[in-house]
Amino acid sequence: MKPLLEVKRLSKTYDGRQVVHDLDMTIYPGDIYGFLGPNGAGKTTTIRMILGLIQKSSGEILFAGKPLHLLADPYAQIGCLVESPGLYHNLTGRQNLVLFQKLRKAKDSARIEELLEMVDLQSAADRKVKDYSLGMKQRLAIAIALLPNPRLLILDEPTNGLDPAGISEMRTFLKKLSEQGMTILISSHLLDEIEKVATRLCIINQGRQVAEAPLDQLLHTHRDLELVSPKP
Ligand code: ATP
C-alpha cells in the first residue's frame, strides 16, 4: 500500500534554535496515526508545517506521492482541527455547516445531514452553538473540516480541555470515522488518550523522534517518557 502522507527528515529552526530535528513519518490510508510527545516537543510546529501554515527549514512532505505545494487544493484534501475552532456561536450547528459550505461555494444539503450524523450532532443541530459543550463544538469543527471530503484529517490535541466523558466520545467518534475510511493524524501529550485508537504511533521528545512504528510494537518500550501524566 502506498503512503498517503510521507514526512522525510523534516526540520524547523526558529531564530537559530532547532525545534524539530529530521522527523520521519509514514501515514497509510486508513491509519489513525498517533503523534505523541510531551508539552513543547514540537507537535504543533510539525502539524503547522504539514498544513503549510509555516515554512519548513528542510525536509520533504509528500501527500499521495506529491510535494504539498503541487496539490491543486490542499485544504480540500487535508482537513484540520487546530486550537480553538472559529465557530459562529449565535448560529445553530446546522447553520454553521451551511455557512462554511457556502464559503466553499458548494450546496449539498445531503452532505450536511450526513456530516451531522457522522459527528453525532443530529439531535443538537438546531441548537445555538453557544449552548454546546466543548466536545460538541470540537465535533462541529471537525464536521466543517470534513465538508470538502478530505482524504486526511489532522487533529491537534483535540482532547485538550475535554472531561473523561468528552474524551471517550471523541475516541468513539474517531473509530467510527476511521471505519468509514478516513485517515487521521491525531496529536496528544497523553499516551492513555490515543493508545486505545491509534494504529501507528510516532513519539517525539524535544523535537527529536524517539520511535515510529505500529502501536503494538511500541507500547512496552516507551512508557518511560512523560506521556502518562496530565498537563500541570
Ligand atoms: P504543546 O503540547 O505544549 O503545544 P508541542 O509539542 O505542540 O507542545 P510546539 O508548540 O511545536 O510543541 O513547540 C516546540 C518548541 O518550539 C517549543 O520550545 C516552543 O517554545 C518553540 N516554538 C513554537 N513556536 C515558536 C515560534 N513561533 N517562535 C519561536 N519558538 C517557537
Side-chain angles (χ1 to χ4, degrees):
M1 200 193 310
K2 288 190 182 153
L4 184 59
L5 183 78
E6 269 180 294
V7 167
K8 296 181 185 174
R9 299 180 314 282
L10 185 66
S11 296
K12 179 71 186 173
T13 301
Y14 280 121
D15 308 320
R17 180 175 157 243
Q18 192 165 356
V19 298
V20 176
H21 301 252
D22 294 325
L23 196 69
D24 291 319
M25 296 164 117
T26 309
I27 305 185
Y28 292 97
D31 269 344
I32 300 184
Y33 189 94
F35 188 29
L36 193 65
N39 295 338
K43 303 182 296 296
T44 299
T45 303
T46 302
I47 285 175
R48 287 190 182 147
M49 287 190 278
I50 294 173
L51 291 169
L53 298 175
I54 57 170
Q55 291 269 346
K56 56 189 165 57
S57 301
S58 61
E60 260 188 296
I61 303 170
L62 301 175
F63 186 83
K66 277 192 192 161
L68 215 56
H69 67 275
L70 294 183
L71 293 182
D73 184 358
Y75 293 108
Q77 310 223 33
I78 307 179
C80 68
L81 174 69
V82 287
E83 292 167 8
S84 40
L87 301 170
Y88 292 89
H89 288 159
N90 274 320
L91 299 182
T92 67
R94 192 192 307 278
Q95 287 167 336
N96 267 272
L97 276 162
V98 170
L99 180 68
F100 280 95
Q101 194 185 47
K102 277 191 183 148
L103 290 176
R104 292 200 58 83
K105 298 187 171 38
K107 197 170 172 239
D108 176 1
S109 50
R111 177 76 181 142
I112 301 246
E113 295 314 310
E114 187 185 301
L115 286 169
L116 284 167
E117 197 265 318
M118 196 184 278
V119 300
D120 204 16
L121 282 177
Q122 270 166 322
S123 59
D126 297 312
R127 274 164 53 197
K128 286 193 175 172
V129 168
K130 65 182 177 189
D131 299 325
Y132 280 15
S133 66
L134 180 61
M136 292 162 81
K137 285 181 193 158
Q138 298 278 59
R139 296 205 302 279
L140 178 60
I142 292 172
I144 290 168
L146 293 174
L147 270 169
N149 206 9
R151 294 166 71 189
L152 173 68
L153 178 65
I154 297 186
L155 307 171
D156 193 8
E157 306 223 23
T159 51
N160 260 1
L162 294 185
D163 60 15
I167 293 173
S168 162
E169 278 168 21
M170 180 64 75
R171 258 194 228 119
T172 309
F173 161 64
L174 292 181
K175 276 189 193 154
K176 186 168 126 189
L177 208 55
S178 159
E179 280 159 16
Q180 293 177 4
M182 183 58 65
T183 308
I184 301 167
L185 187 166
I186 172 175
S187 79
S188 178
H189 59 278
L190 289 176
L191 177 61
D192 294 3
E193 276 181 14
I194 51 177
E195 69 177 319
K196 293 195 182 80
V197 287
T199 48
R200 283 180 79 80
L201 205 60
C202 171
I203 305 180
I204 61 165
N205 196 19
Q206 297 183 350
R208 291 179 196 277
Q209 189 149 3
V210 177
E212 204 243 12
L215 183 77
D216 46 359
Q217 288 178 21
L218 288 180
L219 275 188
H220 299 292
T221 43
H222 291 285
R223 281 193 179 271
D224 50 331
L225 283 171
E226 173 216 323
L227 298 170
V228 280
S229 53
K231 266 187 178 173

